[in-house]
Amino acid sequence: MAEPLWKRLLWFAALWVAGVASVGAVAAVIRYWLIG
C-alpha cells in the first residue's frame, strides 16, 4: 500500500517539526530550571 509522495513528505516534515519543537521545549525548560 504505497502512499503518495506528497503525503509521505508531509508526514516527514510534521515529524521533523515535532521533534525539533520538543527538543527545543525541553532545552528551554532545562535552561529556565537551571537559571531560575
Side-chain angles (χ1 to χ4, degrees):
M1 198 163 69
E3 296 181 13
L5 181 61
W6 65 268
K7 191 177 287 188
R8 256 185 285 174
L9 287 177
L10 192 67
W11 266 110
F12 179 75
L15 289 177
W16 179 76
V17 167
V20 169
S22 61
V23 168
V26 168
V29 167
I30 289 176
R31 191 181 303 135
Y32 286 131
W33 182 56
L34 288 178
I35 293 175

